[in-house]
Amino acid sequence: MFEILRNHINKIVPLTDLEFEFIASLFTAKSYKKGQFLFQEGEDVSKHYFICKGLLKLVYNDSDAREHIVGFAMEDWWESDFEAFYTQKKTSMSLICLENTDVLFIGFENYINLVRTLPKIEHFFLEKAYFGFIAAQKRIISSLTSDTKERYHQLIERHPTLVQRVPKSQLAAYLGVSRETLSRITI
């Protein structure tokens, strides 16, 4: 799993063996089963997860207990409740495995130590944040300006494998429509 992380980081910043040894010493590997939570609403979120294998969903439950899918995360992606992680507050969301999942995670204190010790890693995380902000802006603009069919096709275009790995009911929740509506446009 650590080689996957090294290759991922090297796409943005090159690492020496010594630098990567230090980075790897701050991460922990963990495996989760389908249906397991990495964290649940109301818990402290002190970990930032890198997905080596598997698929997760980040969900928010509203006051009517209706689940809203904030996002999916699959191989080569990072996930957490970033607000809760960076502010060290309790999360309002839950992160759930949709498949058996292998992750590497870094705790908050180790994260701070890492970015202070290796400025190039701070640059790496800044680049990842930029891409995350861009994706979030595209999703917001899409939900404001596109109909369901267009949003679905944009999702397929951006993440073609996701459609094969996620049940239609979950895709519908992510798109903010009913399963029936999604079925009508995908027939």
Side-chain angles (χ1 to χ4, degrees), residues 4-51:
I4 296 169
L5 177 63
R6 183 172 189 167
N7 292 337
H8 177 76
I9 295 170
N10 275 330
K11 291 175 190 171
I12 296 175
V13 294
L15 298 171
T16 67
D17 290 341
L18 191 60
E19 287 170 333
F20 188 72
E21 282 177 32
F22 173 64
I23 292 167
S25 75
L26 300 175
F27 278 81
T28 302
K30 187 158 183 185
S31 295
Y32 294 88
K33 298 285 185 196
K34 180 180 178 179
Q36 268 190 294
F37 288 84
L38 279 69
F39 58 79
Q40 289 183 273
E41 178 183 350
E43 294 179 350
D44 290 323
V45 176
S46 60
K47 296 175 180 77
H48 191 157
Y49 299 92
F50 175 69
I51 295 89

Side-chain angles (χ1 to χ4, degrees), residues 91-129:
T91 181
S92 60
M93 296 185 273
S94 299
L95 186 59
I96 309 159
C97 295
L98 295 175
E99 299 173 355
N100 291 342
T101 300
D102 296 330
V103 300
L104 292 170
F105 68 81
I106 187 166
F108 183 75
E109 289 179 15
N110 282 342
Y111 171 83
I112 296 300
N113 180 22
L114 177 58
V115 297
R116 286 186 179 154
T117 304
L118 283 177
K120 66 169 64 175
I121 293 302
E122 187 169 32
H123 172 75
F124 166 80
F125 281 117
L126 185 58
E127 286 286 317
K128 298 310 287 183

Side-chain angles (χ1 to χ4, degrees), residues 166-177:
V166 177
K168 278 195 177 170
S169 59
Q170 305 271 321
L171 291 174
Y174 177 75
L175 294 170
V177 299

Side-chain angles (χ1 to χ4, degrees), residues 76-96:
D76 224 26
W77 290 16
W78 294 85
E79 192 60 86
S80 191
D81 175 338
F82 293 108
E83 179 184 13
F85 178 77
Y86 288 109
T87 63
Q88 291 295 275
K89 295 183 180 174
K90 300 215 180 285
T91 181
S92 60
M93 296 185 273
S94 299
L95 186 59
I96 309 159

